[in-house]
Amino acid sequence: RPGSAPIASLVAGHPPVGGKPALLSRWPPNWTTVAWATRQGDVCWATVRIPVQYGAVEDECPGWTRADIPGPGRLGMSPLLPGVFPAEAGLTDSRPDGAGDRVAEVGLVTARAVRVTLTFFGHAFTARVIGVPMRGGAAVGVFMVWLTLPPGISGYGSAGITGEVAYDAAGHVIARHGPWS
């Protein structure tokens, strides 16, 4: 639950607009990821393993400042932030080249978006968008996309992501991000 004790303690220092964080994901098993906007206008996210174990918490608060939040006169998508680290979530493969490891990226998008697709080393990965309330009745979309490392890649950087596209409910492209657009 987004209101569980480990998550509640993480958000206590930066109370969410609307009173509670939005649930982004319950994957991998035993992990919960939430996002929320603060009253100061920033957006945060946190991932917690439940039951909590040492090293089983990831959070960014603020993850994005007001300048990163999509809106009028700005890009329709924020910079991406790395999510849960594969080893902590038990998502690593035993192959030395890292192939098959799953890694997460978290981002913001205009609230009109319902899904986002990232192209990562030539493969498309899609995530649903969750609305997070902001001050003044506005909202921002937040997404967490899971990417799979290809053979021969044991680590990655932003250069591995060559496309980021947001779609509305009718399937129209409403935002693109990066030097490739």
Side-chain angles (χ1 to χ4, degrees), residues 153-181:
I153 304 295
S154 59
Y156 75 102
S158 60
I161 299 171
T162 56
E164 184 179 4
V165 182
Y167 300 89
D168 66 12
H172 300 114
V173 173
I174 58 172
R176 293 180 188 269
H177 187 242
W180 50 85
S181 60

Side-chain angles (χ1 to χ4, degrees), residues 20-46:
K20 65 179 184 174
L23 177 65
L24 279 182
S25 175
R26 289 195 192 278
W27 197 87
N30 300 318
W31 289 78
T32 298
T33 301
V34 297
W36 69 98
T38 69
R39 294 178 185 143
Q40 292 75 32
D42 303 320
V43 178
C44 304
W45 68 268

Side-chain angles (χ1 to χ4, degrees), residues 70-167:
R74 298 185 189 149
L75 290 175
M77 303 181 93
S78 73
L80 294 169
L81 297 175
V84 173
F85 293 108
E88 294 173 359
L91 300 175
T92 56
D93 194 328
S94 59
R95 293 174 55 170
D97 69 356
D101 287 359
R102 308 261 335 250
V103 294
E105 292 286 333
V106 185
L108 304 180
V109 64
T110 177
R112 293 182 17 234
V114 297
R115 71 181 165 91
V116 171
T117 299
L118 269 65
T119 303
F120 181 66
F121 290 102
H123 298 279
F125 296 88
T126 300
R128 65 188 170 98
V129 174
I130 305 298
V132 171
M134 303 281 296
R135 290 184 314 181
V140 67
V142 183
F143 63 92
M144 182 175 190
V145 62
W146 286 93
L147 311 169
T148 303
L149 293 178
I153 304 295
S154 59
Y156 75 102
S158 60
I161 299 171
T162 56
E164 184 179 4
V165 182
Y167 300 89

